[in-house]
């Protein structure tokens, strides 16, 4: 042993049972110091004799993928500890952090020291061929050689990264195909207390769920009257009978604590909704690195189990002042890009919900969880979240499945006719409609690109009776309006006008026209329905008439503010035989039946605009839809009790005058 050659690094250590000592060896080994890299530590003790006969030395090394524990040699006669790095340990280039413990054989600790040193990567270990011919290689050839190696490395990394993203695309596409085919589909809701349904304050809360997690952990906290997975299943059952939803949420979980709660058991889900991040944002002991690495572990386990992923970011909190969770929401959005998975911005989805949707500043009441579940149902209807219809003012969704992705029950059937006012894409010269027989129900799902988007059915009814129900988001409570003009507040008590969540249209709400009934973008203003905020919506239309059918052409969209709250608000009065002088300011469509003070006599469909001028004057504009004749009228109470009418030049009259002048 005495003739062996070593490269030594070391430092003199003071032995003390009372102090943790840290030293920097200020030196480096090479990855080619195989069998020769030695750590040497002379030991000294300030007081008393240093007896090492019954002492063991243990050394721990960590860094750049290295983790090892070994016994070091003690020379008790000379008070020296030595350790030669193994062939495996010397390969780990970089900074190595180490700890040396001196313990008595009975386990009592004598001394502990922390130190660090470096291992430099030798040129030979950098895959450079050191040969005589190297000097004959041009710099361009040298660069090209290493460019090829770099591209090969990046290509291999890319293949590894796309393994799970490719699997995600395959799984989510096949899962939605099963939905469309009516096959059994299982949705798993995975997350923390927001998924579990935590609620300890509401009067209608329930005891803790008696179903434990897959590793046997029992729930300990109360839950709301309904959870969002329960609400989601109830909504989807109206469209897909073979859908089931399972709740894998546990209160207090972060991505690190969640993984073992559900380990070992494959739930055999087709799609998993992931809702994590809120607790992680509040956990000071976990870093963003921990969050991303932990989340990836959960994601890839789900994909390995055969389940596609849809990400949900943490929803809006009640206090509206905590911004830390948004950082984690952004991280979730980036993970979604990496795995090619859809992501739902839950802060947007829960924007505008009122205070009674919450049970505390973070968690929801049954009302709130019910809202979330029924809003999320829209992801699985229509063309699904993979290809959601995005709509704005003046758009429309047709009844053609390939275009709009609508879902309808067995009491609905597609039909064509040369009198339908729709495109003739199905049969030349004939429009298409969806015939809603008694009990017929259809579901439209869409993403509203605008706030305050009014939606209207365009229908034809051959009979003179109608009972047609429209419902938004499966009847869940609605959120607040996005702008103040619709709030309708009063001093005491403070009330807020919100959108309707459902409305039933009858004959009295609709327009008379050619012995038929139409809803063509114009219905009774008190029953207009609209989406108050951007985001996902599901609208159902159901024929409640026990006998008569309804032809549905499409679902049309308008700007709710213009239609309902501006001065040109539209009111449809149906058949009107009263005095137009009694009508307030606004825009009207009426079927005039000898209405009083009208500029034309008899019957006819007409539009009527009423404005207020100075000195209590009223201004009128009337257009007879049948004859195209238009009139302007002025009512001045200081001059007359009648309206002074003036007929405007109609298009037909103008054309006749042009022809006459040419003759």
């Amino acid at each position: 042993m005495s003739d062996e050659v070593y490269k030594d690094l070391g430092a003199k250590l003071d032995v003390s049972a009372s102090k943790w000592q840290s030293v920097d060896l200020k030196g480096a080994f090479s990855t080619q110091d195989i069998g020769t890299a030695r750590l040497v530590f002379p030991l000294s003790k300030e007081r008393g004799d240093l007896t090492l006969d019954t002492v063991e030395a243990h050394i721990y090394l960590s860094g750049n993928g290295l983790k090892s524990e070994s016994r070091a040699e003690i020379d008790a006669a000379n008070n020296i500890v030595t350790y030669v790095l193994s062939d495996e340990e010397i390969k780990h280039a970089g900074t190595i952090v180490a700890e040396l413990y001196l313990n008595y054989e009975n386990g009592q600790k004598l001394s502990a020291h922390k130190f660090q040193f470096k291992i430099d990567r030798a040129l030979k270990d950098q895959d450079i061929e050191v040969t005589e011919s190297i000097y004959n290689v041009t710099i361009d050839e040298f660069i090209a050689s290493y460019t090829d190696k770099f591209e090969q490395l990046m290509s291999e990394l890319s293949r590894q990264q796309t393994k799970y993203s490719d699997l995600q695309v395959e799984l989510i596409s096949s899962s939605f195909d099963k939905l469309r085919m009516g096959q059994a589909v299982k949705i798993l809701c995975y997350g923390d207390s927001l998924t579990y349904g935590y609620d300890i304050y509401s009067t209608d809360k329930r005891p803790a769920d008696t179903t434990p997690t897959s590793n046997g952990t029992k729930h300990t906290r109360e839950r709301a009257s309904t959870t969002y997975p329960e609400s989601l299943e109830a909504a989807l059952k109206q469209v897909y009978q073979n859908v089931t939803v399972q709740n894998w949420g546990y209160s207090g979980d972060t991505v690190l604590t969640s993984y073992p709660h559900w380990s070992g058991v494959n739930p055999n889900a087709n799609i998993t909704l992931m809702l994590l991040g809120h607790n992680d944002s509040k956990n000071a002991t976990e870093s963003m690195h921990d969050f991303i690495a932990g989340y990836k572990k959960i994601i890839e386990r789900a994909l390995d189990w055969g389940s596609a992923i849809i990400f949900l970011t943490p929803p809006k909190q009640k206090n509206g002042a905590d911004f830390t969770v948004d950082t984690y929401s952004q991280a979730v959005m980036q993970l979604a890009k990496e795995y090619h998975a859809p992501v739902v911005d839950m802060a947007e989805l829960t924007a505008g919900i009122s205070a009674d949707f919450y049970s505390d500043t973070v968690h929801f009441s049954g009302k709130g969880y019910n809202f979330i579940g029924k809003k999320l149902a829209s992801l699985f209807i229509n063309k699904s979240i993979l290809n959601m219809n995005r709509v704005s003012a003046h758009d429309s969704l047709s009844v053609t499945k390939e275009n709009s992705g609508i879902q309808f029950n067995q009491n609905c059937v597609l039909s064509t006719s040369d009198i339908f006012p729709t495109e003739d894409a199905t049969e030349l010269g004939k429009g298409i409609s969806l015939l809603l027989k008694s009990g017929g129900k259809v579901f439209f799902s869409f993403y509203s690109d605008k706030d305050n988007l009014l939606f209207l059915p365009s229908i034809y009814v051959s009979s003179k009776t109608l009972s047609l129900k429209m419902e938004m988001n499966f009847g869940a409570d609605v959120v607040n309006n996005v702008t103040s003009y619709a709030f309708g507040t009063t001093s005491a008590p403070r009330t807020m006008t919100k959108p309707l969540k459902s409305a039933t249209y009858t004959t009295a709400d609709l327009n008379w026209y050619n012995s038929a009934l139409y809803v063509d973008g114009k219905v009774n203003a008190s029953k207009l329905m609209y989406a108050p905020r951007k985001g996902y919506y599901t609208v159902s239309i159901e024929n409640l008439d026990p006998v008569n059918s309804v032809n549905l052409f499409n679902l049309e969209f308008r700007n709710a503010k213009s239609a309902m709250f501006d001065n040109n608000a539209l009111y449809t009065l149906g058949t009107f035989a009263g005095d137009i002088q009694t009508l307030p300011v606004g825009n009207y469509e009426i079927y005039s039946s000898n209405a009083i003070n009208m500029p034309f006599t008899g019957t006819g469909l007409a539009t009527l605009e009423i404005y207020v001028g100075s000195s209590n004057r009223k201004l009128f504009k009337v257009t007879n839809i049948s004859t195209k004749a238009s009139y302007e009228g002025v009512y001045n109470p200081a001059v007359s009790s009648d309206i002074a009418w003036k007929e405007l030049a109609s298009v037909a009259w103008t054309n006749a005058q042009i022809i006459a002048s040419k003759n």
Side-chain angles (χ1 to χ4, degrees):
M1 295 290 292
S2 60
D3 59 348
E4 294 185 19
V5 177
Y6 291 99
K7 181 176 181 179
D8 292 334
L9 291 179
K12 186 176 181 180
L13 303 179
D14 294 326
V15 177
S16 170
S18 61
K19 293 190 298 182
W20 170 271
Q21 300 176 356
S22 180
V23 294
D24 188 344
L25 302 189
K26 296 182 180 178
F29 293 121
S30 164
T31 53
Q32 283 297 303
D33 290 334
I34 301 172
T36 61
R38 183 170 65 177
L39 300 171
V40 181
F41 302 102
L43 306 178
S44 65
K45 191 174 183 181
E46 185 176 346
R47 295 189 183 129
D49 295 331
L50 181 59
T51 303
L52 301 177
D53 294 334
T54 60
V55 173
E56 294 180 350
H58 291 262
I59 192 165
Y60 299 84
L61 304 177
S62 176
N64 194 23
L66 169 64
K67 286 190 180 296
S68 67
E69 174 187 355
S70 304
R71 287 277 296 273
E73 293 185 7
I74 296 181
D75 182 350
N78 297 304
N79 296 339
I80 296 176
V81 175
T82 60
Y83 178 73
V84 179
L85 272 65
S86 69
D87 293 352
E88 178 61 31
E89 291 169 336
I90 199 64
K91 294 178 182 179
H92 293 269
T95 299
I96 306 300
V97 178
E99 294 174 356
L100 175 65
Y101 293 90
L102 303 176
N103 303 328
Y104 288 107
E105 291 177 350
N106 63 5
Q108 184 179 359
K109 200 172 299 296
L110 173 64
S111 185
H113 307 267
K114 185 174 183 178
F115 58 94
Q116 65 182 36
F117 59 93
K118 291 183 179 180
I119 301 177
D120 292 330
R121 188 180 299 280
L123 194 63
K124 183 178 180 180
D125 294 323
Q126 298 181 12
D127 296 330
I128 299 178
E129 297 179 5
V130 184
T131 64
E132 189 173 339
S133 62
I134 189 74
Y135 301 103
N136 297 324
V137 177
T138 67
I139 187 65
D140 290 339
E141 292 172 332
F142 182 79
I143 293 173
S145 172
Y146 279 89
T147 299
D148 290 342
K149 291 181 179 180
F150 176 77
E151 290 178 349
Q152 291 172 8
L153 176 61
M154 295 306 295
S155 177
E156 178 61 27
L157 289 174
S158 177
R159 281 194 294 271
Q160 294 176 6
Q161 290 171 350
T162 57
K163 169 189 173 182
Y164 284 107
S165 60
D166 289 347
L167 183 58
Q168 159 70 16
V169 172
E170 176 186 344
L171 290 173
I172 198 164
S173 299
S174 62
S175 295
F176 277 105
D177 185 53
K178 288 180 179 179
L179 271 177
R180 297 296 174 265
M181 298 295 290
Q183 299 175 10
V185 171
K186 183 177 183 179
I187 299 170
L188 181 70
C189 298
Y190 189 103
D192 49 32
S193 55
L194 295 172
T195 299
Y196 170 71
Y198 176 98
D199 180 0
I200 63 172
Y201 297 107
S202 299
T203 56
D204 60 350
K205 66 180 183 292
R206 293 179 290 174
D209 187 0
T210 58
T211 306
T213 69
S214 62
N215 76 344
T217 304
K218 294 182 178 180
H219 301 283
T220 60
R221 306 315 302 261
E222 295 93 333
R223 54 182 177 150
S225 57
T226 188
T227 64
Y228 102 71
E230 291 171 325
S231 172
L232 174 62
E233 182 178 74
L236 290 179
K237 284 285 190 184
Q238 296 187 39
V239 186
Y240 310 111
Q241 289 298 312
N242 293 323
V243 168
T244 57
V245 181
Q246 186 173 354
N247 190 330
W248 266 23
Y250 190 83
S251 292
D253 265 353
T254 65
V255 293
L256 299 184
T257 60
S258 175
Y259 188 90
H261 276 154
W262 308 100
S263 61
V265 177
N266 184 346
N268 296 311
N270 300 99
I271 299 172
T272 299
L273 299 180
M274 293 281 189
L275 177 52
L276 288 165
H278 175 79
N279 293 323
D280 303 80
S281 72
K282 305 297 187 293
N283 194 329
T285 64
E286 294 180 12
S287 65
M288 182 61 75
H289 173 81
D290 295 329
F291 176 71
I292 294 172
Y295 218 150
K296 285 186 173 183
K297 190 176 178 182
I298 294 171
I299 294 162
E300 292 172 6
R301 178 179 65 181
L303 291 168
D304 286 334
W305 277 345
S307 175
I309 301 297
I310 296 177
F311 289 97
L312 310 179
T313 66
K316 184 185 78 68
Q317 299 173 71
K318 183 179 179 181
N319 58 23
D322 191 344
F323 199 61
T324 58
V325 74
D326 183 69
T327 305
Y328 286 76
S329 295
Q330 300 307 313
V332 171
M333 291 179 181
Q334 295 306 313
L335 282 171
K337 292 180 182 178
E338 180 176 342
Y339 286 93
H340 294 180
V343 59
V344 178
D345 185 350
M346 294 293 287
E348 178 188 72
L349 187 140
T350 52
I353 60 177
S354 56
D356 61 347
F357 279 55
Y358 293 93
S359 64
D360 56 34
T361 59
V362 172
H363 303 95
F364 298 94
S365 62
K367 182 177 182 178
Y369 289 120
N370 180 59
F371 170 81
I372 291 173
K374 289 182 175 176
K375 285 282 281 188
L376 290 175
S378 64
L379 308 182
F380 304 95
I381 308 173
N382 196 270
K383 290 187 174 183
S384 81
I385 192 174
L386 299 177
N387 189 20
M388 182 70 73
N389 282 309
R390 303 181 75 97
V391 295
S392 187
H394 307 297
D395 288 337
S396 67
L397 294 177
S398 73
V399 293
T400 305
K401 276 196 171 185
E402 290 81 357
N403 293 338
S404 62
I406 62 170
Q407 304 296 316
F408 48 81
N409 65 12
Q410 69 279 4
N411 294 324
C412 301
V413 60
L414 288 169
S415 63
T416 60
S417 172
D418 53 9
I419 67 170
F420 292 160
T422 49
E423 58 192 1
D424 60 355
T426 302
E427 187 175 351
L428 187 62
K430 294 184 178 182
I432 188 172
S433 81
L434 184 66
L435 184 67
L436 276 63
K437 301 177 183 178
S438 179
K441 191 171 186 179
V442 57
F443 297 89
F444 289 90
S445 183
F446 55 88
Y447 182 93
S448 175
D449 275 330
K450 300 292 184 181
D451 297 325
N452 307 308
L453 192 65
L454 182 147
F455 45 86
L456 304 155
S458 179
I459 67 171
Y460 170 85
V461 184
S462 58
S463 70
K464 295 184 179 181
T465 65
L466 178 72
S467 182
L468 191 72
K469 181 181 179 181
M470 286 187 66
E471 187 173 61
M472 180 168 62
N473 296 331
F474 301 92
D477 288 281
V478 295
V479 302
N480 295 316
N481 299 286
V482 73
T483 47
S484 59
Y485 66 77
F487 284 178
T489 58
T490 58
S491 56
R494 186 177 186 271
T495 60
M496 184 171 290
T497 302
K498 294 185 179 182
L500 299 173
K501 57 184 178 182
S502 67
T504 300
Y505 303 119
T506 63
T507 308
D509 299 316
L510 309 178
N511 305 322
W512 287 92
Y513 184 63
N514 289 347
S515 301
L517 297 171
Y518 280 87
V519 180
D520 186 14
K522 302 176 179 68
V523 297
N524 186 322
S526 66
K527 294 184 178 180
L528 289 175
M529 296 181 63
Y530 65 98
R533 292 173 181 266
K534 290 184 286 188
Y536 301 99
Y537 291 89
T538 301
V539 173
S540 64
I541 302 173
E542 182 178 9
N543 182 14
L544 302 180
D545 192 293
V547 177
N548 299 297
S549 300
V550 175
N551 286 104
L552 173 66
F553 301 125
N554 51 38
L555 185 68
E556 300 185 0
F557 299 90
R558 302 285 189 271
N559 180 274
K561 182 178 185 296
S562 298
M564 297 167 63
F565 301 109
D566 286 350
N567 286 334
N568 64 340
L570 174 67
Y571 301 89
T572 301
L573 302 181
T575 301
F576 185 76
D579 187 349
I580 65 172
Q581 276 272 41
T582 62
L583 297 175
V585 171
N587 280 10
Y588 301 86
E589 183 172 271
I590 63 177
Y591 187 82
S592 178
S593 178
N594 291 304
I596 300 171
N597 279 318
M598 283 290 279
F600 64 87
T601 59
T603 60
L605 188 66
T607 60
L608 168 63
E609 301 173 35
I610 303 177
Y611 305 90
V612 173
S614 59
S615 303
N616 295 320
R617 293 189 308 156
K618 275 188 177 180
L619 308 177
F620 298 84
K621 183 174 181 180
V622 172
T623 299
N624 188 317
I625 301 298
S626 300
T627 65
K628 308 300 182 185
S630 294
Y631 309 83
E632 284 186 351
V634 177
Y635 169 66
N636 187 346
V639 176
S640 172
S641 59
D642 297 322
I643 302 174
W645 289 103
K646 177 179 69 175
E647 184 174 3
L648 303 177
S650 65
V651 174
W653 182 88
T654 302
N655 289 339
Q657 294 303 308
I658 294 174
I659 294 172
S661 65
K662 289 182 178 180
N663 294 332

